[in-house]
Amino acid sequence: MTLKLGAYTACLHDRPLGEALDVLQANGLTSVEVNTGGFIPSPHCHVDLLLSSEQARRDYLDLFASRGMELSGLNCNGNPLNPLPGVGPKHADDLRRTIELAGLLGVRNIVTMSGTPGSDPDARYPSWVVNPWDGVYMDVLDYQWGVAVDFWKEIDALARAHDVRVAIEMHPHNLVFSPVTLRKLVELTGATNLGAEMDPSHLMWQGMDVAACIRDLGPLVFHAAAKDAMITPGVDIRGVLDTSFTRVPADAADKVPTGYGFWCNAWPEDPAWRFVAVGAGHDVGWWTGFLRALAEVDPDMAVNIEHEDAAYDRLEGLALAAENLRAAAEKM
């Protein structure tokens, strides 16, 4: 098997790209994914410069090639359908520019999220419908899917024109958060260049069988993340739909932005689930099965670590994830 093992460099945004690549190389990783906009800044990819200069693009790709590494994905996770004027339009524009840049760089896959519109044309805020047992929420979903289809038809055509693929992360808070909803988007849009980024962590805490999800989607799986999750004792009274988060102060030095004037909230002290380093939630044998299922779809697929385990510092957590991911690959 020749799966490309690597990492998404967002966890290393505290250092220049060259130093971040050296960290990945030291951990035996060869595939790299960088951020280009959306929720978080893009210090490892100066999009304006790269769009405007062929020489800058050559120099940029040389940073990877000189280390025997491949830039396998551009990440533009955000909510391009958000009705807030400081969020949705910017994230949508970031995505369009990322598609153009990917075409110029020869990067095949772009990672993003489907987004969530408001509940109706006059809504000020996005609204995620969790369970439409009440008929009124079917009206909301009908409106939201109409918005999504119009937008994603445009994005699919743009991706096709630039010969790139858009891999959608199936993430709660988005219209597309499962294989069923991913297929729905592809079918409603008639898309040729939209598929899935297989991040197992978000499927884990929803209670899904990740290997079954991969096999259900088959060739619609374009790209993958190595990110683990753990169901924790708090689930006993909170359930996986718990909303007991708290606000992070505006002056907090380490807050994570999600848009102009908005940022991530703080988790409950006793959460129902949390993200953990690869191997901390599911053992190496589980990850071997994950890699095997991906290889059935595409033996050359990129599988990039996304480190978000707050129990470890960035270097320690990334090293642990890389060690476990490499061990899983060796057992294939």
Side-chain angles (χ1 to χ4, degrees):
M1 301 296 182
T2 57
L3 291 172
K4 302 167 186 175
L5 305 184
Y8 174 37
T9 65
C11 66
L12 299 173
H13 275 181
D14 61 333
R15 64 201 67 212
L17 176 60
E19 291 183 19
L21 295 181
D22 291 341
V23 171
L24 302 193
Q25 187 177 45
N27 282 286
L29 303 173
T30 60
S31 171
V32 187
E33 185 177 323
V34 299
N35 200 73
T36 54
F39 287 134
I40 63 175
S42 55
H44 291 165
C45 187
H46 301 296
V47 177
D48 289 336
L49 173 63
L50 294 172
L51 283 172
S52 63
S53 168
E54 182 178 354
Q55 183 61 52
R57 293 193 293 273
R58 284 199 295 266
D59 293 344
Y60 186 68
L61 292 173
D62 282 347
L63 280 173
F64 302 89
S66 65
R67 293 168 172 83
M69 307 183 87
E70 177 185 351
L71 179 60
S72 60
L74 303 182
N75 191 304
C76 192
N77 273 331
N79 184 354
L81 305 181
N82 192 319
L84 285 165
V87 181
K90 177 189 180 301
H91 291 184
D93 185 59
D94 287 348
L95 178 57
R96 294 185 186 100
R97 284 155 37 88
T98 297
I99 289 170
E100 181 182 355
L101 179 58
L104 292 170
L105 289 172
V107 175
R108 182 68 167 144
N109 292 313
I110 295 161
V111 178
T112 191
M113 295 175 183
S114 70
T116 307
S119 60
D120 59 85
D122 298 320
R124 292 181 59 198
Y125 300 100
S127 179
W128 185 48
V129 175
V130 178
N131 190 326
W133 65 268
D134 183 335
V136 67
Y137 294 105
M138 293 301 291
D139 292 343
V140 172
L141 283 172
D142 287 346
Y143 166 74
Q144 290 181 323
W145 277 102
V147 172
V149 166
D150 289 345
F151 176 79
W152 284 103
K153 278 184 176 179
E154 173 212 335
I155 294 300
D156 179 60
L158 186 63
R160 188 163 52 250
H162 289 279
D163 192 27
V164 299
R165 305 188 301 182
V166 179
I168 295 175
E169 181 176 342
M170 296 174 286
H171 194 306
H173 287 192
N174 289 267
L175 277 180
V176 172
F177 60 93
S178 65
V180 172
T181 49
L182 188 285
R183 281 190 177 279
K184 180 174 181 177
L185 182 65
V186 171
E187 290 168 2
L188 288 176
T189 56
T192 58
N193 288 53
L194 300 183
E197 189 239 13
M198 183 54 63
D199 181 334
S201 65
H202 303 292
L203 308 183
M204 289 169 180
W205 67 263
Q206 293 183 76
M208 298 185 198
D209 180 327
V210 175
C213 291
I214 295 170
R215 293 184 173 108
D216 176 77
L217 289 172
L220 285 175
V221 179
F222 293 166
H223 193 76
K227 183 177 168 189
D228 211 341
M230 176 189 294
I231 302 296
T232 55
V235 75
D236 292 348
I237 60 170
R238 296 184 183 279
V240 298
L241 300 180
D242 181 44
T243 60
S244 303
F245 288 65
T246 54
R247 294 184 184 275
V248 171
D251 59 357
D254 57 351
K255 66 181 185 292
V256 179
T258 59
Y260 293 121
F262 296 93
W263 49 90
C264 288
N265 292 316
W267 287 60
E269 290 185 6
D270 181 26
W273 60 273
R274 65 184 183 90
F275 297 128
V276 295
V278 171
H282 295 74
D283 64 19
V284 167
W286 186 95
W287 284 97
T288 296
F290 174 71
L291 296 178
R292 282 176 180 156
L294 292 175
E296 290 173 12
V297 175
D298 177 3
D300 296 318
M301 189 178 298
V303 185
N304 293 329
I305 294 165
E306 186 175 359
H307 172 56
E308 292 186 5
D309 189 340
Y312 297 92
D313 70 24
R314 300 176 185 193
L315 296 183
E316 182 185 20
L318 181 59
L320 176 62
E323 179 182 357
N324 286 327
L325 189 64
R326 292 198 318 271
E330 289 170 2
K331 293 178 180 295
M332 291 174 63

